[in-house]
Amino acid sequence: QVQLVESGGGSVQAGGSLRLSCRHSGYTANMGWFRQAPGKGREGVGSIYKGDRATHYADSVKGRFTVSRISANNTLYLQMNSLKPEDSAMYYCAAAARWTGYPPSEADFDYWGQGTQVTVSS
């Protein structure tokens, strides 16, 4: 059974940076980050797929967020720069049991972490 544990959330002022980490156990293929703000649905933020050879980002975070993975550490990262108040949300790490050759959607993920809160103040 794959387990995912997120860390690194917190409060930051607009324009600041945070780095989220997701330590995982067990075999994982595609991995990604999602977020959910109060009263809104869960949205994909960024993912890594195609055997770690490709990444995909939501338009709202392109150029500001970077997804990366260090397999030796069993850790997925989300570097978030130039944060905006609208980035405030609970951030979730997700993992899939298989690779895809296309940017994975929420339905492609099999395992989810408990989430870490990010709050950006103006």
Side-chain angles (χ1 to χ4, degrees):
Q1 183 72 12
V2 172
Q3 292 187 324
L4 307 173
V5 180
E6 303 100 332
S7 62
S11 297
V12 65
Q13 289 193 323
S17 298
L18 283 174
R19 188 177 77 160
L20 306 184
S21 299
C22 172
R23 189 162 180 85
H24 58 91
S25 62
Y27 174 79
T28 60
N30 288 352
M31 292 195 74
W33 290 95
F34 290 76
R35 67 186 181 187
Q36 187 167 20
K40 295 187 177 181
R42 188 158 57 186
E43 66 167 337
V45 174
S47 61
I48 191 163
Y49 65 104
K50 205 173 182 179
D52 275 356
R53 297 191 298 275
T55 54
H56 177 77
Y57 298 94
D59 288 344
S60 58
V61 306
K62 278 181 183 176
R64 300 188 297 123
F65 290 13
T66 303
V67 178
S68 61
R69 168 152 66 177
I70 298 180
S71 297
N73 295 341
N74 285 347
T75 305
L76 179 76
Y77 299 97
L78 180 67
Q79 178 66 44
M80 304 185 294
N81 298 327
S82 302
L83 282 160
K84 304 175 182 180
E86 51 264 44
D87 294 319
S88 297
M90 185 71 78
Y91 282 70
Y92 298 92
C93 174
R98 66 181 185 90
W99 293 107
T100 60
Y102 54 84
S105 66
E106 186 172 344
D108 291 310
F109 289 97
D110 305 293
Y111 310 102
W112 295 85
Q114 294 300 307
T116 186
Q117 179 69 39
V118 171
T119 303
V120 185
S121 58
S122 58

